[in-house]
Amino acid sequence: MAMNTVALELVPPNLDRGEGAAVAEAQKVARLSVECGIGERLGHVMIPAMIAEDGDRPIEMKPKMDVLPYWSILRPELPGVRGLCTQVTSFSDETSLRERLAGLGDSGFDGVIFVGVPRTMNDGDGTGVAPADALAKFDGLVANRGVILIPTRAGEQSRFSFKCDKGATCAMTQLLYSDAVVGFLRDFAQESDYRPEILLSFGFVPGVENTVGLIDWLIQDPGNEAVAREQAFVKSLAAGEPAVKRRQLVDLYKKVIDGAGVLGYPLSLHFEAPYGVSRPAFETFAEMLAYWSPDRSVG
């Protein structure tokens, strides 16, 4: 059964910040949700399991709180909200992964997005379980088994079909800064009978992006012209006036929803503020939800 949810991504805090930072973040989310009119539409938080990546990451990766302890802090502050998370599989054996997934389910997680190795490694590297294999191995343990979908990546159609064959029931897109996902899903619908739930990911772009470049780094794909256009759009958003930026992000949201909403896929939303939750981010997300949210049909 589709989740039909609105999920807000909350990154676990650095361990050196202590539990107080996690509590403060959760309380900020609860307050902004009410003040900006999102209210009860927030159904899940998406907690990414963070691992060390490329050395050129614009913001240093420090040791972070584990997903489960972070969730235990968030949950009392966000009553009624359930959990989603990403789970790195490539460095864990089947037994430890099974124990981990059972613990996530017992703790209130409704879905897990299986992810593999960092970009500096090749698919198949790592001594653990490959993400595609995890989809099949844990089908009786995790109802909503997800994968990452990057619609601008070369070969993604066949890659996505393979993951659906393995048992993916949902997919979370990379941050969307174009409507390329619409064409991707349209082409996939013509070639395949699979209709996994798609969590469409939209990210707020603050002005600091043009100084730090975290979003640019997250979506990079050297030599890919489609991604280069998305990176240029991100730069223009970061430099734009708040009202113009919000209109451009909401207009993109409308194009994606209108295009993807008629293709037969169950749709959910994944909202992300890569530099931390803020009022401008929540106001933008609220305006998106005013146009469409997963609790009503498109059009």
Side-chain angles (χ1 to χ4, degrees), residues 172-224:
M172 185 172 73
T173 71
Q174 188 181 49
L175 284 170
L176 302 175
Y177 291 107
S178 75
D179 63 350
V181 67
V182 175
F184 178 94
L185 293 175
R186 183 183 298 115
D187 292 345
F188 190 77
Q190 293 173 352
E191 299 293 331
S192 173
D193 292 330
Y194 289 118
R195 297 295 183 272
E197 183 168 8
I198 308 297
L199 283 79
L200 298 167
S201 300
F202 296 93
F204 183 72
V205 182
V208 71
E209 167 64 17
N210 272 347
T211 302
V212 179
L214 177 61
I215 298 172
D216 182 85
W217 181 84
L218 288 170
I219 66 174
Q220 67 176 308
D221 188 3
N224 187 324

Short mmCIF file of all heavy atoms in Angstrom, two decimals, residues 172-224:
data_model
loop_
_atom_site.label_atom_id
_atom_site.label_comp_id
_atom_site.label_asym_id
_atom_site.label_seq_id
_atom_site.Cartn_x
_atom_site.Cartn_y
_atom_site.Cartn_z
N MET A 172 13.06 7.14 -4.04
CA MET A 172 13.22 8.54 -3.66
C MET A 172 14.16 9.21 -4.64
O MET A 172 15.28 8.76 -4.84
CB MET A 172 13.78 8.65 -2.23
CG MET A 172 13.85 10.08 -1.72
SD MET A 172 14.30 10.17 0.03
CE MET A 172 16.06 9.74 -0.05
N THR A 173 13.69 10.26 -5.28
CA THR A 173 14.52 10.91 -6.28
C THR A 173 15.63 11.72 -5.64
O THR A 173 15.56 12.11 -4.48
CB THR A 173 13.70 11.87 -7.17
OG1 THR A 173 13.31 13.02 -6.40
CG2 THR A 173 12.46 11.18 -7.73
N GLN A 174 16.66 11.95 -6.45
CA GLN A 174 17.65 12.96 -6.08
C GLN A 174 16.93 14.31 -6.07
O GLN A 174 15.85 14.46 -6.66
CB GLN A 174 18.79 12.97 -7.08
CG GLN A 174 19.96 13.86 -6.68
CD GLN A 174 21.07 13.85 -7.74
OE1 GLN A 174 20.80 14.02 -8.91
NE2 GLN A 174 22.30 13.62 -7.31
N LEU A 175 17.50 15.30 -5.41
CA LEU A 175 16.92 16.63 -5.41
C LEU A 175 16.62 17.07 -6.84
O LEU A 175 17.48 16.97 -7.72
CB LEU A 175 17.85 17.62 -4.73
CG LEU A 175 17.91 17.55 -3.20
CD1 LEU A 175 19.05 18.42 -2.68
CD2 LEU A 175 16.59 17.99 -2.60
N LEU A 176 15.42 17.57 -7.07
CA LEU A 176 14.96 17.92 -8.40
C LEU A 176 15.07 19.42 -8.64
O LEU A 176 14.43 20.22 -7.94
CB LEU A 176 13.50 17.49 -8.59
CG LEU A 176 13.20 16.00 -8.37
CD1 LEU A 176 11.70 15.75 -8.46
CD2 LEU A 176 13.95 15.14 -9.40
N TYR A 177 15.88 19.79 -9.62
CA TYR A 177 15.97 21.21 -10.01
C TYR A 177 15.70 21.36 -11.51
O TYR A 177 16.16 22.31 -12.14
CB TYR A 177 17.33 21.77 -9.61
CG TYR A 177 17.46 21.86 -8.11
CD1 TYR A 177 18.26 20.98 -7.40
CD2 TYR A 177 16.73 22.81 -7.40
CE1 TYR A 177 18.35 21.04 -6.01
CE2 TYR A 177 16.80 22.87 -6.01
CZ TYR A 177 17.61 22.00 -5.34
OH TYR A 177 17.69 22.06 -3.97
N SER A 178 14.93 20.42 -12.05
CA SER A 178 14.37 20.49 -13.40
C SER A 178 13.19 19.51 -13.40
O SER A 178 12.97 18.79 -12.42
CB SER A 178 15.39 20.11 -14.46
OG SER A 178 15.59 18.70 -14.47
N ASP A 179 12.47 19.48 -14.51
CA ASP A 179 11.37 18.53 -14.61
C ASP A 179 11.78 17.27 -15.38
O ASP A 179 10.93 16.56 -15.93
CB ASP A 179 10.14 19.18 -15.24
CG ASP A 179 10.38 19.65 -16.66
OD1 ASP A 179 11.56 19.65 -17.10
OD2 ASP A 179 9.41 20.05 -17.34
N ALA A 180 13.08 16.96 -15.41
CA ALA A 180 13.57 15.78 -16.12
C ALA A 180 12.92 14.50 -15.63
O ALA A 180 12.77 13.53 -16.39
CB ALA A 180 15.09 15.68 -16.00
N VAL A 181 12.52 14.47 -14.37
CA VAL A 181 11.91 13.26 -13.81
C VAL A 181 10.61 12.92 -14.52
O VAL A 181 10.23 11.75 -14.62
CB VAL A 181 11.68 13.42 -12.29
CG1 VAL A 181 10.62 14.47 -11.99
CG2 VAL A 181 11.31 12.09 -11.66
N VAL A 182 9.91 13.93 -15.05
CA VAL A 182 8.65 13.67 -15.74
C VAL A 182 8.90 12.84 -17.00
O VAL A 182 8.24 11.82 -17.24
CB VAL A 182 7.94 14.99 -16.09
CG1 VAL A 182 6.68 14.70 -16.92
CG2 VAL A 182 7.58 15.75 -14.83
N GLY A 183 9.86 13.25 -17.80
CA GLY A 183 10.20 12.48 -18.99
C GLY A 183 10.70 11.10 -18.65
O GLY A 183 10.38 10.11 -19.34
N PHE A 184 11.48 11.01 -17.59
CA PHE A 184 11.99 9.70 -17.17
C PHE A 184 10.84 8.77 -16.82
O PHE A 184 10.79 7.61 -17.28
CB PHE A 184 12.92 9.86 -15.97
CG PHE A 184 13.45 8.56 -15.44
CD1 PHE A 184 14.67 8.07 -15.86
CD2 PHE A 184 12.71 7.80 -14.53
CE1 PHE A 184 15.14 6.85 -15.40
CE2 PHE A 184 13.18 6.59 -14.06
CZ PHE A 184 14.40 6.11 -14.49
N LEU A 185 9.92 9.24 -16.01
CA LEU A 185 8.80 8.39 -15.57
C LEU A 185 7.87 8.08 -16.73
O LEU A 185 7.30 6.97 -16.80
CB LEU A 185 8.04 9.07 -14.44
CG LEU A 185 8.80 9.21 -13.11
CD1 LEU A 185 7.98 10.01 -12.11
CD2 LEU A 185 9.16 7.85 -12.53
N ARG A 186 7.70 9.01 -17.65
CA ARG A 186 6.86 8.75 -18.83
C ARG A 186 7.47 7.64 -19.68
O ARG A 186 6.78 6.70 -20.09
CB ARG A 186 6.70 10.02 -19.65
CG ARG A 186 5.76 9.85 -20.86
CD ARG A 186 5.67 11.11 -21.69
NE ARG A 186 5.12 12.22 -20.92
CZ ARG A 186 5.80 13.32 -20.61
NH1 ARG A 186 7.07 13.46 -21.00
NH2 ARG A 186 5.23 14.28 -19.92
N ASP A 187 8.78 7.72 -19.90
CA ASP A 187 9.45 6.69 -20.70
C ASP A 187 9.41 5.34 -19.99
O ASP A 187 9.19 4.30 -20.63
CB ASP A 187 10.91 7.09 -20.96
CG ASP A 187 11.03 8.29 -21.90
OD1 ASP A 187 10.03 8.63 -22.56
OD2 ASP A 187 12.13 8.89 -21.94
N PHE A 188 9.61 5.36 -18.67
CA PHE A 188 9.60 4.11 -17.92
C PHE A 188 8.21 3.47 -17.97
O PHE A 188 8.08 2.25 -18.09
CB PHE A 188 10.02 4.36 -16.47
CG PHE A 188 10.26 3.12 -15.67
CD1 PHE A 188 11.42 2.38 -15.83
CD2 PHE A 188 9.31 2.66 -14.76
CE1 PHE A 188 11.64 1.22 -15.10
CE2 PHE A 188 9.52 1.50 -14.03
CZ PHE A 188 10.69 0.78 -14.20
N ALA A 189 7.17 4.30 -17.89
CA ALA A 189 5.80 3.78 -17.93
C ALA A 189 5.48 3.12 -19.27
O ALA A 189 4.68 2.18 -19.35
CB ALA A 189 4.81 4.90 -17.64
N GLN A 190 6.12 3.59 -20.34
CA GLN A 190 5.89 3.01 -21.65
C GLN A 190 6.60 1.68 -21.82
O GLN A 190 6.17 0.84 -22.64
CB GLN A 190 6.36 4.00 -22.73
CG GLN A 190 5.52 5.27 -22.81
CD GLN A 190 6.11 6.31 -23.76
OE1 GLN A 190 7.23 6.16 -24.25
NE2 GLN A 190 5.35 7.37 -24.03
N GLU A 191 7.66 1.47 -21.05
CA GLU A 191 8.48 0.27 -21.21
C GLU A 191 8.21 -0.78 -20.14
O GLU A 191 8.59 -1.95 -20.31
CB GLU A 191 9.96 0.65 -21.18
CG GLU A 191 10.40 1.61 -22.28
CD GLU A 191 10.31 0.98 -23.66
OE1 GLU A 191 10.46 -0.26 -23.75
OE2 GLU A 191 10.08 1.72 -24.63
N SER A 192 7.58 -0.39 -19.04
CA SER A 192 7.46 -1.29 -17.89
C SER A 192 6.06 -1.22 -17.27
O SER A 192 5.39 -0.17 -17.32
CB SER A 192 8.50 -0.91 -16.83
OG SER A 192 8.32 -1.66 -15.64
N ASP A 193 5.65 -2.33 -16.68
CA ASP A 193 4.38 -2.35 -15.95
C ASP A 193 4.55 -1.97 -14.49
O ASP A 193 3.57 -1.83 -13.76
CB ASP A 193 3.77 -3.76 -16.02
CG ASP A 193 3.31 -4.12 -17.43
OD1 ASP A 193 2.93 -3.19 -18.18
OD2 ASP A 193 3.33 -5.32 -17.78
N TYR A 194 5.80 -1.81 -14.03
CA TYR A 194 6.04 -1.45 -12.64
C TYR A 194 5.58 -0.01 -12.39
O TYR A 194 5.84 0.90 -13.19
CB TYR A 194 7.52 -1.55 -12.30
CG TYR A 194 8.05 -2.96 -12.22
CD1 TYR A 194 9.06 -3.39 -13.07
CD2 TYR A 194 7.56 -3.85 -11.26
CE1 TYR A 194 9.56 -4.68 -13.00
CE2 TYR A 194 8.06 -5.14 -11.18
CZ TYR A 194 9.05 -5.56 -12.05
OH TYR A 194 9.54 -6.84 -11.97
N ARG A 195 4.93 0.19 -11.24
CA ARG A 195 4.53 1.53 -10.82
C ARG A 195 4.87 1.70 -9.33
O ARG A 195 3.98 1.80 -8.49
CB ARG A 195 3.03 1.77 -11.06
CG ARG A 195 2.60 1.72 -12.50
CD ARG A 195 3.20 2.83 -13.35
NE ARG A 195 2.70 2.77 -14.72
CZ ARG A 195 3.25 2.04 -15.68
NH1 ARG A 195 4.36 1.32 -15.43
NH2 ARG A 195 2.74 2.03 -16.90
N PRO A 196 6.16 1.74 -9.00
CA PRO A 196 6.52 1.95 -7.59
C PRO A 196 6.14 3.36 -7.14
O PRO A 196 6.00 4.27 -7.98
CB PRO A 196 8.04 1.77 -7.60
CG PRO A 196 8.44 2.17 -8.99
CD PRO A 196 7.32 1.68 -9.88
N GLU A 197 5.95 3.51 -5.86
CA GLU A 197 5.67 4.85 -5.33
C GLU A 197 6.91 5.72 -5.51
O GLU A 197 8.04 5.28 -5.25
CB GLU A 197 5.30 4.76 -3.85
CG GLU A 197 4.92 6.10 -3.25
CD GLU A 197 4.28 5.96 -1.87
OE1 GLU A 197 4.27 4.83 -1.32
OE2 GLU A 197 3.78 6.97 -1.35
N ILE A 198 6.71 6.95 -5.96
CA ILE A 198 7.81 7.88 -6.19
C ILE A 198 7.76 9.00 -5.16
O ILE A 198 6.77 9.71 -5.06
CB ILE A 198 7.75 8.48 -7.61
CG1 ILE A 198 7.64 7.38 -8.67
CG2 ILE A 198 8.97 9.36 -7.85
CD1 ILE A 198 8.82 6.45 -8.74
N LEU A 199 8.83 9.11 -4.38
CA LEU A 199 8.98 10.23 -3.45
C LEU A 199 9.74 11.33 -4.19
O LEU A 199 10.94 11.22 -4.44
CB LEU A 199 9.74 9.82 -2.19
CG LEU A 199 8.98 9.01 -1.13
CD1 LEU A 199 8.90 7.54 -1.56
CD2 LEU A 199 9.66 9.11 0.22
N LEU A 200 9.02 12.35 -4.59
CA LEU A 200 9.60 13.46 -5.34
C LEU A 200 10.30 14.40 -4.37
O LEU A 200 9.69 14.90 -3.42
CB LEU A 200 8.50 14.21 -6.10
CG LEU A 200 7.75 13.38 -7.15
CD1 LEU A 200 6.49 14.10 -7.59
CD2 LEU A 200 8.65 13.08 -8.34
N SER A 201 11.58 14.67 -4.63
CA SER A 201 12.41 15.42 -3.67
C SER A 201 12.59 16.87 -4.13
O SER A 201 13.07 17.12 -5.24
CB SER A 201 13.79 14.77 -3.53
OG SER A 201 13.66 13.44 -3.07
N PHE A 202 12.20 17.79 -3.26
CA PHE A 202 12.36 19.22 -3.54
C PHE A 202 13.16 19.85 -2.42
O PHE A 202 12.87 19.63 -1.24
CB PHE A 202 10.99 19.89 -3.67
CG PHE A 202 10.19 19.37 -4.83
CD1 PHE A 202 9.29 18.32 -4.64
CD2 PHE A 202 10.35 19.89 -6.10
CE1 PHE A 202 8.56 17.81 -5.71
CE2 PHE A 202 9.62 19.39 -7.17
CZ PHE A 202 8.72 18.35 -6.98
N GLY A 203 14.16 20.63 -2.80
CA GLY A 203 15.06 21.21 -1.81
C GLY A 203 15.10 22.72 -1.87
O GLY A 203 15.16 23.32 -2.96
N PHE A 204 15.05 23.35 -0.71
CA PHE A 204 15.16 24.81 -0.61
C PHE A 204 16.62 25.22 -0.85
O PHE A 204 17.55 24.52 -0.44
CB PHE A 204 14.70 25.28 0.76
CG PHE A 204 14.72 26.77 0.92
CD1 PHE A 204 13.77 27.56 0.27
CD2 PHE A 204 15.67 27.40 1.69
CE1 PHE A 204 13.78 28.94 0.40
CE2 PHE A 204 15.71 28.77 1.83
CZ PHE A 204 14.75 29.54 1.18
N VAL A 205 16.80 26.37 -1.51
CA VAL A 205 18.14 26.85 -1.84
C VAL A 205 18.35 28.22 -1.19
O VAL A 205 17.85 29.23 -1.68
CB VAL A 205 18.34 26.98 -3.37
CG1 VAL A 205 19.76 27.44 -3.67
CG2 VAL A 205 18.03 25.66 -4.07
N PRO A 206 19.08 28.30 -0.08
CA PRO A 206 19.36 29.60 0.54
C PRO A 206 20.52 30.31 -0.15
O PRO A 206 21.26 29.72 -0.94
CB PRO A 206 19.74 29.22 1.97
CG PRO A 206 20.38 27.87 1.82
CD PRO A 206 19.65 27.19 0.69
N GLY A 207 20.68 31.58 0.15
CA GLY A 207 21.74 32.37 -0.47
C GLY A 207 23.13 31.84 -0.20
O GLY A 207 24.03 32.01 -1.03
N VAL A 208 23.32 31.18 0.95
CA VAL A 208 24.64 30.69 1.31
C VAL A 208 25.14 29.62 0.32
O VAL A 208 26.34 29.34 0.26
CB VAL A 208 24.63 30.14 2.76
CG1 VAL A 208 23.85 28.83 2.84
CG2 VAL A 208 26.04 29.94 3.28
N GLU A 209 24.24 29.06 -0.48
CA GLU A 209 24.65 28.05 -1.45
C GLU A 209 25.72 28.58 -2.39
O GLU A 209 26.65 27.85 -2.75
CB GLU A 209 23.43 27.56 -2.24
CG GLU A 209 23.75 26.74 -3.49
CD GLU A 209 24.45 25.42 -3.21
OE1 GLU A 209 24.43 24.93 -2.07
OE2 GLU A 209 25.04 24.87 -4.16
N ASN A 210 25.63 29.84 -2.79
CA ASN A 210 26.62 30.37 -3.73
C ASN A 210 27.99 30.56 -3.10
O ASN A 210 28.98 30.75 -3.80
CB ASN A 210 26.13 31.68 -4.34
CG ASN A 210 25.30 31.44 -5.60
OD1 ASN A 210 25.28 30.34 -6.14
ND2 ASN A 210 24.60 32.46 -6.06
N THR A 211 28.05 30.50 -1.77
CA THR A 211 29.33 30.58 -1.08
C THR A 211 29.88 29.19 -0.76
O THR A 211 31.07 28.93 -0.91
CB THR A 211 29.18 31.37 0.24
OG1 THR A 211 28.68 32.68 -0.05
CG2 THR A 211 30.51 31.47 0.96
N VAL A 212 28.99 28.29 -0.36
CA VAL A 212 29.41 26.96 0.10
C VAL A 212 29.35 25.91 -1.01
O VAL A 212 30.27 25.12 -1.20
CB VAL A 212 28.57 26.53 1.32
CG1 VAL A 212 28.97 25.12 1.79
CG2 VAL A 212 28.70 27.53 2.45
N GLY A 213 28.23 25.86 -1.73
CA GLY A 213 28.11 24.92 -2.85
C GLY A 213 27.74 23.50 -2.47
O GLY A 213 28.06 22.57 -3.22
N LEU A 214 27.04 23.30 -1.36
CA LEU A 214 26.69 21.95 -0.94
C LEU A 214 25.71 21.30 -1.92
O LEU A 214 25.88 20.13 -2.29
CB LEU A 214 26.09 21.96 0.46
CG LEU A 214 25.60 20.62 1.00
CD1 LEU A 214 26.74 19.62 1.09
CD2 LEU A 214 24.92 20.78 2.36
N ILE A 215 24.68 22.02 -2.34
CA ILE A 215 23.70 21.44 -3.25
C ILE A 215 24.34 21.15 -4.60
O ILE A 215 24.10 20.10 -5.21
CB ILE A 215 22.48 22.37 -3.40
CG1 ILE A 215 21.79 22.55 -2.04
CG2 ILE A 215 21.50 21.83 -4.43
CD1 ILE A 215 20.70 23.60 -2.03
N ASP A 216 25.17 22.07 -5.07
CA ASP A 216 25.90 21.86 -6.32
C ASP A 216 26.71 20.57 -6.24
O ASP A 216 26.75 19.78 -7.20
CB ASP A 216 26.82 23.06 -6.58
CG ASP A 216 27.59 22.94 -7.88
OD1 ASP A 216 27.04 23.32 -8.93
OD2 ASP A 216 28.75 22.46 -7.85
N TRP A 217 27.33 20.31 -5.11
CA TRP A 217 28.13 19.10 -4.91
C TRP A 217 27.24 17.86 -4.85
O TRP A 217 27.58 16.82 -5.41
CB TRP A 217 28.94 19.24 -3.63
CG TRP A 217 29.82 18.07 -3.33
CD1 TRP A 217 31.07 17.83 -3.80
CD2 TRP A 217 29.50 16.97 -2.46
NE1 TRP A 217 31.55 16.65 -3.29
CE2 TRP A 217 30.61 16.11 -2.46
CE3 TRP A 217 28.38 16.65 -1.68
CZ2 TRP A 217 30.63 14.93 -1.72
CZ3 TRP A 217 28.41 15.47 -0.94
CH2 TRP A 217 29.53 14.62 -0.96
N LEU A 218 26.09 17.99 -4.20
CA LEU A 218 25.20 16.84 -4.04
C LEU A 218 24.66 16.34 -5.37
O LEU A 218 24.49 15.13 -5.56
CB LEU A 218 24.02 17.21 -3.12
CG LEU A 218 24.33 17.37 -1.63
CD1 LEU A 218 23.12 17.97 -0.92
CD2 LEU A 218 24.71 16.03 -1.00
N ILE A 219 24.38 17.25 -6.31
CA ILE A 219 23.75 16.84 -7.56
C ILE A 219 24.74 16.70 -8.71
O ILE A 219 24.35 16.38 -9.83
CB ILE A 219 22.62 17.81 -7.97
CG1 ILE A 219 23.18 19.20 -8.31
CG2 ILE A 219 21.57 17.91 -6.86
CD1 ILE A 219 22.13 20.16 -8.86
N GLN A 220 26.00 16.89 -8.46
CA GLN A 220 27.01 16.91 -9.53
C GLN A 220 27.06 15.61 -10.32
O GLN A 220 26.79 14.52 -9.81
CB GLN A 220 28.40 17.18 -8.93
CG GLN A 220 28.91 16.04 -8.04
CD GLN A 220 30.30 16.26 -7.54
OE1 GLN A 220 31.20 16.53 -8.32
NE2 GLN A 220 30.50 16.17 -6.22
N ASP A 221 27.38 15.74 -11.60
CA ASP A 221 27.62 14.61 -12.47
C ASP A 221 28.45 15.13 -13.63
O ASP A 221 27.92 15.50 -14.68
CB ASP A 221 26.30 14.02 -12.98
CG ASP A 221 26.50 12.71 -13.74
OD1 ASP A 221 27.66 12.24 -13.83
OD2 ASP A 221 25.50 12.17 -14.26
N PRO A 222 29.78 15.23 -13.43
CA PRO A 222 30.64 15.87 -14.43
C PRO A 222 30.42 15.35 -15.83
O PRO A 222 30.34 14.14 -16.06
CB PRO A 222 32.05 15.54 -13.93
CG PRO A 222 31.89 15.39 -12.44
CD PRO A 222 30.55 14.74 -12.27
N GLY A 223 30.30 16.29 -16.79
CA GLY A 223 30.10 15.94 -18.17
C GLY A 223 28.65 15.75 -18.57
O GLY A 223 28.34 15.55 -19.75
N ASN A 224 27.73 15.83 -17.62
CA ASN A 224 26.30 15.64 -17.88
C ASN A 224 25.66 17.01 -18.08
O ASN A 224 25.52 17.78 -17.13
CB ASN A 224 25.66 14.90 -16.71
CG ASN A 224 24.21 14.51 -16.98
OD1 ASN A 224 23.47 15.23 -17.63
ND2 ASN A 224 23.82 13.36 -16.46
#
